[in-house]
Amino acid sequence: MGSGTRKRWWGAVSVVGLVAAVAGLLWFEPWALWVDETVHEALPSTGATSPAPAAPPSAPAGPPSASAAPPSAPAAPPPAGPVTVAQGRLVSHEHTTTGVVKIVRLADGSQTLRLEGLDTSNGPDLHVWLSDAPVREDGAGWGVFDDGKYLDLARLKGNRGDQNYPLPSGFDWSAYPSVSIWCDRFDVSFGAAALART
């Protein structure tokens, strides 16, 4: 192999190596481990707002008739809220993770999942999952949350702080009693909590 051919070959190898290194960095995003995203959300008092119902047409003026309906009973008060109906403490998996997870029923009857005092590592493609898998503290529990039923609530808003994730209307959280901070890119749990009724 001549010197010119050898130089071209090493040049091609260098380019391929550089492309592979850049692709690996973009895939693993190691810099995310040193960048914290902190979120401080207050607990909402109600869920999504809906337009107020139209007022019924008013009755024509005049003397009351004998057949007029008696006045209706006062409307029942709205359900009290917010009320914590379940909670659990996060345990560490792939990364050290602490904080509390709550299921909160709001005044309008809707429910939200709330993370309080969350502190975990940042990472690529982190999500908040509800799952029917059991929470284990050892390494065997890191990858079980996609083995059965699960619900991907949303991307994690930040790796630190307090944050809210509305639950779908009519959702029965007791069928998914585990919460995981799930790295969807590498199919691994950063941390998880088992929910128990309060």
Side-chain angles (χ1 to χ4, degrees):
M1 182 184 295
S3 61
T5 304
R6 189 177 296 112
K7 287 179 181 177
R8 285 195 297 273
W9 186 82
W10 279 113
V13 168
S14 299
V15 169
V16 169
L18 180 61
V19 169
V22 170
L25 285 172
L26 292 175
W27 180 252
F28 285 94
E29 298 181 23
W31 57 85
L33 295 173
W34 291 277
V35 178
D36 290 322
E37 294 179 48
T38 303
V39 176
H40 292 296
E41 289 185 333
L43 180 63
S45 56
T46 60
T49 57
S50 56
S58 58
S65 65
S67 62
S72 60
V83 176
T84 300
V85 297
Q87 71 178 28
R89 188 164 293 280
L90 288 160
V91 298
S92 300
H93 281 155
E94 174 70 17
H95 293 271
T96 300
T97 302
T98 58
V100 174
V101 182
K102 295 180 177 180
I103 302 292
V104 181
R105 186 181 66 239
L106 304 178
D108 62 359
S110 64
Q111 296 183 102
T112 191
L113 183 145
R114 180 165 172 81
L115 301 175
E116 290 186 348
L118 174 66
D119 190 351
T120 190
S121 298
N122 209 340
D125 208 14
L126 294 180
H127 290 245
V128 179
W129 276 23
L130 281 158
S131 168
D132 65 350
V135 175
R136 301 186 185 116
E137 294 194 41
D138 57 18
W142 293 8
V144 300
F145 296 98
D146 59 350
D147 291 347
K149 294 188 304 181
Y150 62 87
L151 173 68
D152 185 347
L153 279 184
R155 278 185 176 270
L156 186 69
K157 297 174 183 178
N159 64 304
R160 290 185 172 181
D162 307 326
Q163 42 207 280
N164 306 305
Y165 298 88
L167 295 179
S169 177
F171 179 75
D172 180 12
W173 66 266
S174 64
Y176 300 80
S178 300
V179 178
S180 172
I181 307 303
W182 183 258
C183 179
D184 210 21
R185 182 165 301 173
F186 297 108
D187 294 331
V188 67
S189 173
F190 275 30
L195 294 169
R197 292 188 183 275
T198 56

